[in-house]
Amino acid sequence: MTRSESRSTEPRHAAAPRPHSPSSSHNRHAAPAPSHATAASTPAPASTPTTTTLVIGSETVLVTRKSIKNMYLRIRPDDGTITVSAPRRTTNAAIRDFVCAHESWIGSTRKRMTQLHRENEVAAFGHETDETLTPRELFRRKWTPERLQAARGYLQARVPEMIKRWGRVLGRTPTSVTYRAMTSRWGSCTPATGRMRLNLELAEMPEALIEYVVVHEMVHLWEPKHGAGFHNRMSAVMPDWRERARTLNSLWRYA
């Protein structure tokens, strides 16, 4: 889930609907900003997005121009970088104004991401690995053998029970579950084989959000794509799934 599957008034993730093939589904999410700006110009015909950098104050912002109507502001989880998706003809001045207008949101989102990292690190490791890390250093941490083992153990102690419980609700369960250090999605499922894969980064998420990703992927055993059937089934079994998706999007981004 990298873009948000739910619609909101906020600039979004990767959990916006994303393409899925009938044989495989992917769970992606992005950290949305509190509001969006409408482009002053009509997007150009669809073509390859262009990515540049723009220095705004002390920040180097990654700007991707593509065929969309609104601007979207996100925070990358790996290094805390600000990213902006904008319509092709949006000027640098408009992007600067957009980022500056959301300065407060950027600061509070980074703070929430850092706090969440630390809280879930205690849950997974039993302690914070280094209380002196700055938010930027915290975002840049690599997967060490200790961290991999702790994250896998944390999920293996919780996910099987979630699958068992939700299997009684959904009527299907995955044939296997593997845990990986993914870089672009929270999870994936291959309906044809029933195999589910979950991102080890979920070990640093609240259990309600882990549960959302698990259920999201289990619903793909019935509904390979993110169409009306998927949305209806999710709403039937987990009425607050859109709220959970928005919460995940506001804390972390996978795109």
Side-chain angles (χ1 to χ4, degrees), residues 138-195:
L138 191 61
F139 290 137
R140 289 177 173 172
R141 287 183 311 164
K142 303 298 183 181
W143 281 107
T144 63
E146 179 190 26
R147 188 175 174 227
L148 284 168
Q149 181 180 2
R152 186 172 283 108
Y154 183 85
L155 293 174
Q156 288 175 336
R158 290 162 175 78
V159 170
E161 178 57 33
M162 292 180 184
I163 290 175
K164 181 179 179 180
R165 183 170 68 252
W166 283 98
R168 292 193 290 267
V169 175
L170 291 167
R172 288 188 183 181
T173 57
T175 57
S176 66
V177 182
T178 55
Y179 306 93
R180 303 177 181 176
M182 301 181 184
T183 60
S184 62
R185 54 182 62 97
W186 291 111
S188 66
C189 176
T190 305
T193 63
R195 295 176 59 194

Side-chain angles (χ1 to χ4, degrees), residues 50-111:
T50 59
T51 301
T52 57
T53 58
L54 182 63
V55 176
I56 303 177
S58 61
E59 300 280 359
T60 298
V61 178
L62 194 66
V63 178
T64 299
R65 288 179 170 86
K66 50 188 175 182
S67 298
I68 55 177
K69 294 181 179 180
N70 301 316
M71 281 195 284
Y72 297 86
L73 178 65
R74 305 176 177 93
I75 307 296
R76 283 172 46 171
D78 55 343
D79 59 5
T81 297
I82 300 169
T83 72
V84 172
S85 297
R88 294 188 180 280
R89 298 177 185 175
T90 307
T91 65
N92 286 346
I95 292 171
R96 285 194 179 92
D97 290 344
F98 183 68
V99 171
C100 291
H102 293 99
E103 182 178 1
S104 177
W105 178 86
I106 292 167
S108 62
T109 298
R110 282 175 169 165
K111 183 176 180 179

Side-chain angles (χ1 to χ4, degrees), residues 2-4 6-16 29-36 71-76 83 98 102 105-106 108-110 112-113 242-254:
T2 43
R3 287 167 301 265
S4 181
S6 59
R7 295 186 179 275
S8 98
T9 58
E10 305 174 352
R12 295 182 296 207
H13 132 20
H29 296 277
S35 62
H36 64 265
M71 281 195 284
Y72 297 86
L73 178 65
R74 305 176 177 93
I75 307 296
R76 283 172 46 171
T83 72
F98 183 68
H102 293 99
W105 178 86
I106 292 167
S108 62
T109 298
R110 282 175 169 165
R112 289 201 311 273
M113 291 169 71
R242 288 183 173 86
E243 180 181 350
R244 297 195 199 198
R246 283 194 294 268
T247 300
L248 185 60
N249 296 344
S250 72
L251 296 170
W252 228 248
R253 174 185 184 242
Y254 274 102

